[in-house]
Amino acid sequence: MADEHARGEDSGTFFVVRGPVEPGDKRGRELGFPTANIALRNQSGQVGDGVWAGWAERADGTHVAAAVSVGRRPTYYGADGYRLVEAHLLDFKDDLYGETLTVWLGAHLREQQKYNSGEELIEALDRDVAATRKWIDEHPAAELPDLGTPPPDGEVRRLG
């Protein structure tokens, strides 16, 4: 799990992180892609930075498909940003602040990169959402492995 470039891909491996949803900069909302933010305890890279397809499990046990960014948000913060998980829950509109989410990272879609404009970033996010929809069609939440005892808040666990 210390491999910074670890990938879930279609190998049956998932990375799971759990924690309370924290307020962010609201840039995702401004771009049309609101996110649920979870701080990572380990800033050195327990799981590879980038954009992932996966699932977000709510406190009530329901699952929502999610396009998830893991990293420092290079478009806005360069290499100096705080590493966090930003989960964009597809087709979801409710407020999640303070709720504890469990985020399942299943397939690494791409590396994080810095974009020159908000428009370029929006185009990339549209592609990420489309790729996530394709992945979740092939990987329903009912097939997620048993988590057992959840990891401590902000820590990443590898399953599979």
Side-chain angles (χ1 to χ4, degrees):
M1 181 161 54
D3 179 8
E4 185 171 5
H5 301 287
R7 304 287 186 251
E9 304 301 334
D10 282 332
S11 65
T13 299
F14 287 87
F15 295 92
V16 179
V17 64
R18 180 177 187 264
V21 176
E22 300 179 353
D25 297 335
K26 297 190 177 25
R27 283 203 180 94
R29 183 178 299 169
E30 292 168 6
L31 296 170
F33 297 87
T35 60
N37 303 319
I38 300 172
L40 290 170
R41 282 189 183 182
N42 182 340
Q43 292 292 298
S44 66
Q46 291 170 287
V47 66
D49 283 0
V51 177
W52 294 75
W55 290 96
E57 183 177 352
R58 299 189 65 198
D60 65 5
T62 60
H63 291 86
V64 181
V68 184
S69 173
V70 177
R72 300 183 188 281
R73 299 152 293 154
T75 297
Y76 298 101
Y77 297 103
D80 297 329
Y82 185 82
R83 283 186 84 240
L84 73 148
V85 170
E86 296 178 287
H88 172 64
L89 280 61
L90 279 55
D91 307 316
F92 185 85
K93 302 288 183 214
D94 292 340
D95 181 2
L96 294 168
Y97 289 127
E99 182 174 329
T100 296
L101 285 183
T102 302
V103 178
W104 300 74
L105 307 173
H108 189 266
L109 302 175
R110 66 175 173 85
E111 299 297 324
Q112 285 212 325
Q113 64 186 80
K114 179 177 172 138
Y115 293 94
N116 294 320
S117 69
E119 292 78 23
E120 284 183 17
L121 178 55
I122 289 169
E123 289 172 9
L125 294 171
D126 280 334
R127 290 188 299 271
D128 298 336
V129 167
T132 296
R133 288 187 192 284
K134 182 176 185 228
W135 183 85
I136 63 163
D137 284 345
E138 299 167 2
H139 300 86
E143 295 178 5
L144 291 172
D146 181 32
L147 178 58
T149 304
D153 287 356
E155 289 188 13
V156 176
R157 177 182 295 161
R158 181 183 178 145
L159 297 175

